[in-house]
Amino acid sequence: MSLRTLKNGIGVTIREAESKDAEKMIAFYNRVGGESDFLSFGEGEFLRPVSEYEVFLASVKQEQNSLIVVAEKEEEIISIASITSSQNPRNKHVGTLGIVVEKSYSGLGLGRQLMIELIE
């Protein structure tokens, strides 16, 4: 877990996602889905069951070359960033990077802070 300060002086917590975050993460994706045309889903279209997403988060946590982190302000998720990679030994160097930032926190350097966290 790390505390980061955004360009406007607001402090946020960045930490690895856990299974218990599944419901909040699904709600976050459904809320911000309508804020951008760059996501693969729209508002209310992230339709994964909580139990299924809990299992997904637990499995990613066990992978050596994958990571999902959440950024929180006062325990509310404001951003999610991930690198998920193949577990096939021949393709472990191939991965997918995603960063989703709530529109009201866009332009404050949060995406950069999340990228730094993923790299570290």
Side-chain angles (χ1 to χ4, degrees):
M1 179 169 68
S2 66
L3 300 174
R4 304 285 177 124
T5 303
L6 304 181
K7 290 179 182 178
N8 63 356
I10 290 176
V12 297
T13 302
I14 299 175
R15 63 173 178 79
E16 187 171 2
E18 300 178 27
S19 293
K20 66 180 179 133
D21 297 315
E23 189 170 0
K24 280 184 168 183
M25 292 174 74
I26 292 169
F28 168 80
Y29 282 137
N30 281 313
R31 187 175 72 249
V32 301
E35 295 180 348
S36 170
D37 293 330
F38 298 111
L39 299 175
S40 60
F41 50 86
E43 183 176 1
E45 294 179 350
F46 194 82
L47 303 175
R48 292 190 66 183
V50 172
S51 59
E52 179 185 302
Y53 206 62
E54 288 171 340
V55 171
F56 167 72
L57 291 170
S59 69
V60 168
K61 195 171 177 85
Q62 298 303 312
E63 297 172 0
Q64 292 181 344
N65 58 342
S66 297
L67 177 65
I68 301 174
V69 296
V70 295
E72 295 177 311
K73 173 73 175 114
E74 298 173 1
E75 297 186 24
E76 180 180 340
I77 294 175
I78 59 170
S79 186
I80 299 173
S82 63
I83 295 178
T84 51
S85 302
S86 172
Q87 296 308 290
N88 179 323
R90 295 180 68 104
N91 293 322
K92 280 193 168 199
H93 64 285
V94 178
T96 302
L97 168 72
I99 298 177
V100 180
V101 177
E102 186 176 314
K103 192 172 187 174
S104 60
Y105 291 92
S106 181
L108 299 176
L110 181 54
R112 177 182 174 87
Q113 295 294 334
L114 288 163
M115 184 63 84
I116 291 168
E117 191 75 22
L118 290 174
I119 290 168
E120 290 176 352

